[in-house]
């Protein structure tokens, strides 16, 4: 299609349009007659809308039965529809209850909103219909009314567990956290860049990547055209091996040299044989990159700002959902929990050096560490959590890392005694340890090229070196695990309960 | 970590914290002395901030040189930093210009903001520094000053093309479109659900999926434990073959039965050997699902509402960027373009049946179609675009599709003469044809199970049948291609120019 002269085109088409109009079934401003009866029915309202009602009146609600209480003449039915963490109480005559009205069934009810003496809205039912029945636990449904939820049990039924109230709460918290993160970054002048998930790059997570290739033999055969005769099945689609990304950082560095502040938010993959409470094969990461920065404190400052605004935002909008979620771990209404989160927002995040962290760990002779810390080695989870505990269970940054423990692109520290260190940072948090890692990126073309000593690697990453050849600036950035942040906010030890459809070794349900 | 009694824990830790505090390098409220000199430097401002300045004063700006004009005594240097589509003019004495100041180089400049007589802010430079030089085109940099951008040329340099002004505009439009979509869906009570990208499901796109497996032989060997001895290399990680998703819809159907209105936004993959202007191996989709609906008009209504709010939002916030992007296709400042988009918001979207669409195509004997339309076959791109043209180049819905042309989960139409049709819809738009497809989902367990006649398939999708077994409701939804929407808004024929890092057959750069 081309639109060289739209006005002429419009004129020519006027004739067409007249014929076309006769074929139109309806516009939404004027439905076909058969749809008109919709408007005579009572207004459909969500549970949340009814609960917030200040006025009485006839409405229709739809939802799932969460509880049934039978009195002498009346039945109270609590329903919810995901729009609110609170349930709506329906009141109906015992005679009017359909026989298949049971826990888990979906219903539609017409009735009058009434406001209780305590100001709570409920529905006096005039008409109720069971839309979809729900057999009891004995017949296979894994959820029962008022049963404590066992998260291991629920994990066996990923297609149904979202209906358990703690998981409905999780979805609301994730939704809000996601939208807060985008708003916070937008307000800080970051531009979203969708970095590719399919990449030719495997250098960062050598050995930890998933490989991607078409599943269809016929397609592979077809594509093995003259040019690609010598390519293996795994190379033929893209002309080279392709992997699922372990980080969008290198691509963000390219974008940062166009837009200054950029970020990505999306799934990241790791082929690790780990079933630990902190690892998934597919998880979400926020990654951000800033141009024209100099010094790791630009990174720690930005991470602290984003984390605090996120936690504050969740406390303001999702406190009840956070406590509801904690039913999953049998820690339901612990007001201290919210106070603890509040402290994270109020207190400054501490910044300590790797050397000092190591000294503290070495001096902690009372602690029964499974492994003693050693200079030049990574901090283990127990070490990270000890440091957090020592900081009053509040988040802290560790900076000035040994170069060997950080990726090739971290820039060496400047300063006396810091020659073998790089400008990298880890943010350590309660429950999960490392939530966030970042660095100032090596901006020197020669030093960077020297580090990519492997010829194949330096050819593959020539585009990355190009970024330093043309209009170079120093950039710095970080990546934060979204599920780990949620784990910390929700206080759950298992990352599989912080994502709707977890994937881990031997587990790819649905 | 456990927090049974946080208050006690806090008391015990107070001692620890005192020791810990001695190790803290700095908090952001009180930097180490070495960082203090930052505050004495002039305030760093973005190009956008300076351009919006109403007051004069000393500032520091950083950006890339977009143009240099030499006068007798003065040099005018236009810089930009991605924060604004307009450039900021720097004015400096010829003598003060560094010798390596060239197009594409990155600079930092300190100077005074001055306001021109026409109210435009510019910067009188006192000090300028080239941070990163940029060799000219003859030495390999693919961008030149004031050259028309050829999109085929730029596509060879994905790591650098984002610096071309039209691609900076693309990133801003994508960012805004993304945030508008989330806001529009949030306002319509949709909850975001991150559906998995790794899935055991290949049924929807049979033959078009990518397979995923660890790239590391050692890991595969390790994981072939006793239980998985008989598994192939491609099955051993998850215990079964895993694929990259072609749609999150089935998972959204599970979530819709927990939350009512749900959506996902993220990358989707197709292993198709197509280098067409409308296909990518990795692209972004918005998918939405609504519970308790009855009738395809719920779907068309929602799609129309979302599309119109999105286009209106982009016209309000990104008109200049849309026109700037069109420089890429050499259609720079065509005011008709924005009028055309405005018409899409103002006019009702037409809804016609597949049967009527087919009749119109058959009667269009003047049109030189490559293939004549036949009843029961899919509409080709030329057919789709013809229908759009007939509708005044405005979007239109086609409904009442032959069952064979739509997936197994589309629900049969109710009504006389519609027995072999399903309640599905395609939204056809200018430039791209199909942008969006949706349907009312089959809600009848028996009919659905009958369609999954293949025993293996019905076992694999038993979880999907479960959704109909427990608390069933009718759901309906749609999927919209994000890049195709952007193509329509930006008026670009090539989808590879609507995404920052395109992937297509034989192309996985970076």
């Amino acid at each position: 299609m081309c639109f060289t002269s739209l006005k002429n085109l419009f004129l020519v088409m006027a004739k067409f349009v007249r014929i076309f109009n006769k074929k139109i079934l309806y516009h939404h401003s004027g439905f076909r007659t058969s749809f008109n009866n919709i408007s005579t029915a009572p207004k459909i309202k969500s549970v949340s809308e009814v609960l917030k009602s200040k006025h009485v009146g006839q409405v229709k609600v739809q939802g799932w039965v969460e509880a049934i209480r039978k009195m002498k003449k009346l039945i109270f039915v609590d329903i919810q529809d995901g729009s609110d963490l609170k349930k709506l109480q329906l009141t109906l005559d015992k005679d009017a209850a359909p026989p298949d009205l049971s826990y888990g069934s979906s219903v539609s009810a017409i009735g009058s909103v009434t406001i209780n003496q305590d100001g709570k809205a409920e529905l006096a039912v005039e008409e109720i219909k069971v839309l979809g029945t729900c057999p009891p636990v004995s017949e296979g449904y894994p959820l029962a009314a008022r049963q404590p939820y066992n998260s291991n049990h629920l994990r066996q039924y990923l297609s149904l567990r979202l209906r358990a109230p703690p998981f409905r709460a999780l979805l609301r918290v994730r939704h809000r956290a996601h939208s807060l993160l985008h708003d916070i970054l937008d307000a800080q002048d970051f531009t979203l860049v969708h970095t590719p998930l399919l990449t030719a790059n495997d250098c960062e997570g050598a050995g930890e990547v998933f490989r991607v290739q078409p599943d269809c033999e016929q397609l592979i055969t077809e594509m093995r055209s003259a040019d690609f005769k010598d390519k293996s099945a795994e190379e033929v689609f893209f002309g080279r091996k392709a992997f699922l990304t372990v980080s969008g950082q290198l691509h963000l560095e390219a974008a940062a040299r166009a837009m200054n502040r950029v970020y990505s938010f999306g799934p990241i993959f790791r082929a690790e044989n780990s079933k630990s409470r902190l690892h998934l094969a597919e998880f979400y990461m926020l990654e951000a990159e800033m141009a024209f920065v100099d010094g790791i404190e630009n990174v720690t400052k930005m991470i602290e700002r984003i984390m605090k605004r996120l936690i504050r935002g969740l406390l303001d909008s999702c406190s009840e959902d956070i406590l509801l979620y904690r039913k999953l771990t049998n820690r339901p209404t612990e007001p201290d929990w919210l106070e603890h989160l509040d402290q994270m927002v109020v207190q400054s995040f501490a910044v300590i050096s790797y050397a000092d962290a190591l000294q503290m760990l070495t001096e902690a002779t009372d602690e029964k560490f499974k492994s003693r810390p050693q200079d030049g080695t990574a901090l283990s989870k127990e070490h990270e959590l000890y440091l957090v505990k020592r900081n009053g269970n509040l988040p802290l940054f560790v900076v000035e890392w040994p170069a060997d423990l950080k990726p090739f692109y971290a820039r060496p520290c400047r300063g006396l005694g810091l020659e073998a260190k790089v400008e990298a940072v880890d943010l350590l948090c309660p429950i999960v340890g490392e939530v966030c890692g970042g660095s100032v990126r090596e901006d020197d073309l020669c030093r960077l090229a020297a580090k990519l000593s492997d010829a194949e690697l330096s050819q593959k990453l020539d585009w990355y070196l190009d970024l330093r050849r043309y209009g170079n600036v120093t950039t710095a950035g970080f990546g934060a695990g979204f599920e780990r942040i949620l784990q910390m906010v929700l206080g759950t030890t298992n990352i599989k309960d912080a994502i709707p459809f977890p994937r881990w070794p031997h587990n790819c349900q649905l």
Side-chain angles (χ1 to χ4, degrees), chain A:
Chain A
M1 293 292 300
C2 86
F3 293 88
T4 39
S5 172
L6 283 173
K7 274 184 183 163
N8 280 346
L9 199 59
F10 277 134
L11 285 174
V12 174
M13 282 184 321
K15 185 191 68 173
F16 280 153
V17 173
R18 277 193 299 276
I19 307 163
F20 184 88
N21 281 340
K22 291 184 191 154
K23 304 289 185 188
I24 292 175
L25 295 180
Y26 59 89
H27 291 292
H28 284 298
S29 40
F31 268 17
R32 278 195 287 189
T33 337
S34 60
F35 300 138
N36 278 341
N37 52 4
I38 290 169
S39 58
T40 63
K43 204 170 157 50
I44 296 175
K45 295 226 176 194
S46 70
V47 163
S48 176
E49 284 173 310
V50 176
L51 287 173
K52 282 171 193 144
S53 294
K54 293 275 170 267
H55 304 288
V56 298
Q58 206 201 34
V59 300
K60 182 177 177 179
V61 295
Q62 299 160 321
W64 291 269
V65 174
E66 195 56 28
I68 300 177
R69 290 180 301 283
K70 295 187 181 177
M71 301 295 151
K72 209 167 181 185
K73 285 188 172 171
L74 288 176
I75 297 185
F76 298 109
V77 180
D78 291 341
I79 68 161
Q80 52 79 18
D81 63 358
S83 64
D84 204 290
L85 80 172
K86 291 197 189 69
K87 305 160 200 166
L88 172 66
Q89 180 171 290
L90 315 183
T91 319
L92 54 150
D93 281 338
K94 221 169 188 175
D95 313 332
D100 46 2
L101 184 73
S102 67
Y103 174 78
S105 59
S106 56
V107 297
S108 132
I110 295 171
S112 302
V113 179
T114 61
I115 312 286
N116 274 347
Q117 282 188 323
D118 58 359
K120 230 171 114 181
E122 56 175 61
L123 197 81
V125 171
E126 291 149 28
E127 195 188 316
I128 185 164
K129 215 160 64 177
V130 172
L131 302 172
T133 58
C134 188
V137 172
S138 60
E139 290 172 38
Y141 190 59
L143 305 173
R146 276 178 297 242
Q147 288 297 307
Y149 295 95
N150 177 310
S151 64
N152 285 324
H153 168 73
L154 290 178
R155 218 174 289 138
Q156 309 306 310
Y157 305 93
L158 292 190
S159 66
L160 302 170
R161 80 165 180 174
L162 297 180
R163 304 181 189 187
F167 281 94
R168 285 198 170 101
L170 171 72
L171 290 181
R172 282 187 293 262
V173 173
R174 273 186 81 103
H175 174 92
R176 196 48 58 211
H178 175 268
S179 100
L180 281 165
L181 280 177
H182 285 289
D183 289 349
I184 292 163
L185 283 149
D186 188 59
Q188 297 290 314
D189 294 323
F190 280 86
T191 303
L192 173 68
V193 176
H194 289 113
T195 51
L197 271 65
L198 296 176
T199 171
N201 245 314
D202 64 341
C203 61
E204 264 206 288
E208 291 177 7
V209 289
F210 287 104
R211 193 173 79 208
V212 173
Q213 67 189 74
D215 188 51
C216 174
E217 281 307 319
Q218 197 193 331
L219 181 72
I220 291 172
T221 311
E222 267 172 38
M223 291 190 74
R224 216 172 249 150
S225 63
D227 294 345
F228 288 89
K229 256 182 205 155
D230 57 334
K231 298 282 178 195
S232 65
E234 64 203 52
E235 290 172 325
V236 81
F237 191 89
F238 288 113
R240 53 169 88 179
K241 272 169 98 171
F243 308 97
L244 286 181
T245 193
V246 295
S247 162
Q249 182 212 311
L250 304 192
H251 298 89
L252 281 182
E253 283 193 47
R257 283 174 177 82
M259 301 297 282
N260 199 332
R261 290 184 168 189
V262 290
Y263 76 104
S264 66
F265 179 92
I268 292 286
F269 304 85
R270 294 277 158 86
E272 286 174 293
N273 188 14
S274 168
K275 296 182 184 179
S276 95
R277 62 180 188 84
L278 290 165
H279 290 89
L280 289 169
E282 172 179 352
F283 58 97
Y284 280 73
M285 279 247 283
L286 168 73
E287 296 189 272
E289 193 77 16
M290 302 172 276
F292 299 104
V293 301
D294 201 26
I296 196 70
E297 59 281 4
N298 294 92
V299 180
T300 54
K301 214 166 158 177
M302 187 56 77
I303 295 172
E304 183 168 346
R305 184 175 301 154
I306 292 169
M307 289 292 286
K308 286 183 168 179
R309 290 188 185 179
L310 176 65
I311 298 170
R312 167 62 62 225
L314 289 176
L315 282 173
D316 288 348
S317 59
C318 296
S319 287
E320 284 179 278
D321 271 320
I322 292 170
L323 295 180
L324 173 58
Y325 178 88
R326 290 174 61 71
K327 280 192 177 172
L328 192 67
T329 45
N330 296 314
R331 307 174 198 285
T333 42
E334 207 175 48
D336 280 359
W337 185 256
L338 300 179
E339 276 173 37
H340 185 214
L341 290 176
D342 191 66
Q343 280 304 302
M344 294 188 195
V345 182
V346 172
Q347 303 289 333
S348 284
F349 289 9
V351 184
I352 67 169
S353 70
Y354 171 84
D356 282 344
L358 206 80
Q359 194 190 328
M360 268 190 275
L361 289 164
T362 315
E363 286 169 5
T365 44
D366 291 353
E367 289 287 317
K368 292 194 181 67
F369 291 133
K370 282 181 205 151
S371 67
R372 299 308 306 176
Q374 270 197 308
D375 195 7
T377 61
L379 301 181
S380 68
K381 200 53 59 191
E382 58 177 346
H383 300 153
E384 290 174 352
L385 292 175
Y386 173 78
L387 293 170
V388 173
K389 191 173 75 175
R390 284 282 298 264
N391 189 36
N393 257 315
L394 295 173
L396 81 148
F397 293 108
V398 179
V399 296
E400 294 167 5
W401 284 78
D404 290 347
L405 296 183
K406 292 290 168 188
F408 69 94
Y409 49 67
R411 190 177 78 174
C413 287
R414 289 151 192 188
L416 268 179
L418 294 176
E419 291 75 15
K421 300 283 197 293
V422 289
E423 289 206 67
V425 60
D426 277 6
L427 174 66
L428 309 183
C429 292
I431 309 222
V432 283
E434 187 199 343
V435 158
C436 212
S439 69
V440 179
R441 321 305 185 182
E442 178 59 81
D443 50 6
D444 187 278
L445 178 62
C446 296
R447 278 205 306 261
L448 192 64
K451 281 187 198 168
L452 298 174
S453 51
D454 179 329
E456 194 194 0
L457 194 61
S458 91
Q459 195 203 339
K460 256 192 186 170
L461 285 184
D462 198 46
W463 68 269
Y464 185 66
L465 294 174
D466 269 356
L467 303 178
R468 274 73 175 168
R469 288 189 184 108
Y470 306 112
N472 191 27
V473 295
T474 315
T475 75
F478 64 89
F482 186 53
E483 282 76 20
R484 290 204 183 167
I485 296 176
L486 292 176
Q487 277 190 268
M488 180 183 73
V489 170
L490 297 168
T492 181
T493 49
N494 200 323
I495 197 166
K496 300 172 190 79
D497 297 334
I499 189 167
F501 301 99
R503 270 82 180 86
W504 72 101
H506 299 172
N507 284 279
C508 188
Q509 271 187 67
L510 320 192

